[in-house]
Amino acid sequence: METNKIREYVMVKDSFSHASLEEVGCYDYYGELKYTDHIYDMLTRSFKMDKLITEVSYVIAFDHTKTPKGICKVGQGGLGETPTPMQPIFTFLLLTGASSFVVAHNHISDMPNASESDKMVTKMIGMLGSTFDMEFIGHMIINPNGYVVDGGAMDGIVGELDEDGEIASWNANEEEGDVEEDVFLDEPKTIEDMLEEARAIRKRVERR
């Protein structure tokens, strides 16, 4: 499988207090970040987000071809929660010229789902993303047993580790009867597929 790289940045200010990016790391990942499973794999392999003892949050910027432009830590929390401030998220995205983005944070407990505060953060991120004409792929919440995606184009995608430690995902938003219970997606949709569907839905809503 092809090895690719993603660069980690911190945001610093110059003598005029202007924000700029400084590279602090470069990490390998395998394949392409076209699926949420790939993003999960990169975040757990390179950033150990499934094993941390405190909560952290990151933002990943993508260009118009869905190639990652970089990743930046935007929040450092404690044992139970992490702040996810809007200003550093969108400062980083604007500095990278991102076309789309993912926000991710971890739960150190086995709690798989988004909390009420997570959902409020997701809603605000989506609103601001639309304001800046950036496509919000989703808010990935990683726990020791897998991940869930709250909001954005990939809303409702769930990934769980199997007995062999491999991640398998499905869409929890599928209407009952559309998919058999507990059947994983053999061919999960790519981020671009989901974004296209989200654009189509948005256009239909705007016409009403």
Side-chain angles (χ1 to χ4, degrees):
M1 186 178 292
E2 182 182 358
T3 301
N4 296 297
K5 294 187 179 295
I6 187 166
R7 301 183 186 280
E8 182 183 10
Y9 296 95
V10 295
M11 289 178 285
V12 298
K13 58 182 180 179
D14 60 21
S15 57
F16 299 100
S17 294
H18 295 157
S20 62
L21 299 177
E22 182 176 305
E23 185 178 328
V24 293
C26 186
Y27 305 92
D28 292 336
Y29 66 91
Y30 301 99
E32 297 178 298
L33 300 186
K34 288 185 175 181
Y35 305 93
T36 50
D37 287 0
H38 294 174
I39 296 171
Y40 168 85
D41 186 67
M42 182 273 293
L43 290 171
T44 53
R45 285 178 184 269
S46 297
F47 296 91
K48 310 300 180 186
M49 286 190 69
D50 57 334
K51 295 181 173 65
L52 297 177
I53 61 172
T54 58
E55 292 194 8
V56 298
S57 55
Y58 286 90
V59 57
I60 309 170
F62 295 84
D63 67 14
H64 67 285
T65 67
K66 300 302 174 289
T67 301
K69 298 173 71 67
I71 184 171
C72 182
K73 184 190 288 186
V74 291
Q76 176 72 55
L79 298 177
E81 62 180 1
T82 180
T84 308
M86 299 299 110
Q87 185 177 23
I89 291 173
F90 286 94
T91 298
F92 176 70
L93 294 172
L94 289 167
L95 286 171
T96 58
S99 295
S100 58
F101 65 99
V102 169
V103 173
H105 85 276
N106 63 309
H107 285 173
I108 62 174
S109 69
D110 291 341
M111 174 183 172
N113 298 322
S115 67
E116 289 304 314
S117 61
D118 292 338
K119 292 177 182 179
M120 290 176 61
V121 166
T122 298
K123 185 175 181 179
M124 188 175 297
I125 291 170
M127 291 171 57
L128 288 172
S130 297
T131 299
F132 288 109
D133 199 24
M134 297 174 185
E135 293 181 308
F136 179 33
I137 295 170
H139 182 183
M140 178 175 283
I141 301 165
I142 293 173
N143 64 76
N145 300 312
Y147 69 86
V148 298
V149 181
D150 183 44
M154 306 295 276
D155 180 44
I157 301 296
V158 177
E160 283 189 356
L161 294 174
D162 61 21
E163 294 179 354
D164 297 322
E166 298 294 326
I167 196 75
S169 59
W170 71 95
N171 189 344
N173 285 338
E174 293 285 354
E175 293 184 8
E176 188 175 353
D178 288 349
V179 292
E180 294 182 20
E181 186 177 0
D182 297 332
V183 174
F184 295 124
L185 298 178
D186 293 327
E187 296 182 359
K189 294 177 182 177
T190 65
I191 288 171
E192 184 58 36
D193 291 337
M194 296 291 280
L195 285 171
E196 285 293 339
E197 290 182 8
R199 291 178 202 131
I201 292 170
R202 190 161 55 243
K203 286 179 181 178
R204 288 200 298 270
V205 171
E206 289 172 351
R207 290 194 202 104
R208 293 177 180 174

